[in-house]
Amino acid sequence: MIRILSKGMINKHFIPYLSQANRGFVSKVPLWEVVNAILYKLKTGVQWHLLPCKSLIRSNKVKYGAIYHHFNKWCKDGSWKKAWIHLLSLHKSLLDLSLVFMDGTHTPAKRGGEYTAYQGRKKSKTSNTIWLTDRQGNVVGFLPPVSGNHHDLFELEKHLEQLIEILNQCGIAVDGLFLNADAGFYSKPLKKLCFEHGMIMNVPANKGNNRQLEDCQNYFDELMYEERYKIERTNAWMDSYRTMLNRFDTTWLSWNAWHYIFAMIRWIKNLSKV
């Protein structure tokens, strides 16, 4: 039987927070096997109808449609997000928040779909997601994917406010955080938002924007900035999960859910080393 995570890890970190069937119906297949099949899809990028169900589901004969049904149901009812928030809340003490990193990723959207648009640098339609990690590269959160024709600052203040609210719900205070990001995030409105929440931006001045340069009094620590490779390492980890490397999901809901699942897997793998 192919396993991405152990039965114990899936039962502990996923199953308690995923919605169950109504009216007392009990699935003939253990839900941990269903989740394991979904994780296999994330890791390999295989199409749903090509899932090796016989190698993934040992307890009973199941077709790929049943696995997709569970994944889609948990996308719609917010179970993946709920599981992620619980995981982050339980293990927030393991975060190294002496420095946090922010960076954007553009994922080619091979079939188009919701929240995709042409991006010249990638020469294809893409979706753009902003990630936030701690000093060790652990995922702290991400901003909802947007169309790839938008730059990293598009509606950033609104989405960052929402992420800060989620972090506060998890008991993670943002006051006093040093936020490390590249010059693409050099923005007066963003710096104002960070100041209001007690966050200190460590972002090199965007010299291509003289007006921004005049308006912003910028603090910048080069030694701190050199640690940005840690979020790039997290991006490299993400690329090893083939479903995240190229987007084939046409709905925003399912694409967003894969982000939560990836973040959870990275955390669970780190927890196994503690």
Side-chain angles (χ1 to χ4, degrees):
M1 181 182 182
I2 302 172
R3 296 190 183 186
I4 303 301
L5 292 176
S6 70
K7 175 182 176 180
M9 289 180 176
I10 294 175
N11 280 328
K12 179 179 179 181
H13 298 294
F14 282 94
I15 301 303
Y17 313 109
L18 300 178
S19 60
Q20 308 292 321
N22 296 326
R23 301 178 184 176
F25 175 80
V26 179
S27 174
K28 295 180 180 179
V29 178
L31 287 182
W32 80 266
E33 291 188 359
V34 175
V35 173
N36 184 61
I38 293 171
L39 302 185
Y40 178 87
K41 153 70 174 167
L42 173 64
K43 181 63 178 177
T44 63
V46 66
Q47 298 178 44
W48 285 106
H49 73 279
L50 294 178
L51 277 175
C53 295
K54 292 182 180 179
S55 299
L56 291 166
I57 308 295
R58 184 173 55 186
S59 58
N60 215 321
K61 290 185 178 180
V62 173
K63 293 184 178 180
Y64 75 90
I67 299 172
Y68 174 75
H69 166 75
H70 281 85
F71 169 75
N72 193 44
K73 178 183 70 173
W74 291 328
C75 288
K76 291 179 178 179
D77 64 19
S79 290
W80 299 118
K81 180 179 179 180
K82 179 181 177 182
W84 158 247
I85 290 176
H86 276 278
L87 181 66
L88 190 62
S89 300
L90 287 174
H91 303 288
K92 60 180 179 290
S93 60
L94 299 178
L95 288 169
D96 182 355
L97 296 177
S98 56
L99 185 61
V100 294
F101 304 96
M102 179 184 287
D103 195 22
T105 59
H106 281 270
T107 307
K110 299 300 185 180
R111 297 174 57 198
E114 298 174 345
Y115 292 87
T116 65
Y118 185 81
Q119 210 271 342
R121 184 165 56 87
K122 292 283 187 178
K123 297 182 179 178
S124 65
K125 288 185 177 181
T126 68
S127 292
N128 184 24
T129 306
I130 307 296
W131 292 87
L132 198 69
T133 70
D134 73 349
R135 197 164 198 161
Q136 304 306 320
N138 296 312
V139 177
V140 178
F142 64 91
L143 308 187
V146 298
S147 302
N149 61 326
H150 297 301
H151 52 69
D152 290 340
L153 291 174
F154 177 73
E155 295 186 342
L156 181 60
E157 293 80 18
K158 179 182 73 174
H159 294 312
L160 187 57
E161 284 272 20
Q162 296 171 356
L163 178 58
I164 291 173
E165 184 177 347
I166 292 175
L167 294 179
N168 289 334
Q169 292 174 5
C170 295
I172 300 174
V174 299
D175 186 24
L177 291 184
F178 281 88
L179 180 62
N180 216 355
D182 62 30
F185 292 94
Y186 190 79
S187 161
K188 186 177 181 180
L190 178 59
K191 191 166 187 177
K192 180 181 178 182
L193 174 65
C194 290
F195 177 79
E196 291 174 353
H197 288 280
M199 301 169 66
I200 303 170
M201 288 183 62
N202 189 57
V203 180
N206 189 345
K207 297 180 180 179
N209 191 334
N210 292 329
R211 183 174 180 181
Q212 290 275 3
L213 191 62
E214 292 173 359
D215 290 344
C216 295
Q217 294 295 323
N218 190 48
Y219 167 81
F220 181 63
D221 188 313
E222 292 186 4
L223 292 177
M224 192 182 296
Y225 186 73
E226 289 178 358
E227 294 191 44
R228 275 198 71 252
Y229 75 88
K230 293 178 180 177
I231 192 170
E232 300 293 349
R233 182 180 61 192
T234 302
N235 291 339
W237 288 338
M238 182 169 59
D239 288 344
S240 69
Y241 293 83
R242 309 299 289 184
T243 295
M244 302 294 293
L245 183 60
N246 291 297
R247 176 182 172 182
F248 287 92
D249 295 78
T250 56
T251 64
W252 180 88
L253 200 62
S254 60
W255 178 238
N256 194 52
W258 288 121
H259 289 65
Y260 285 116
I261 300 173
F262 162 74
M264 289 188 68
I265 291 179
R266 287 311 314 169
W267 259 93
I268 294 169
K269 285 185 176 293
N270 289 336
L271 288 173
S272 66
K273 301 175 184 177
V274 177

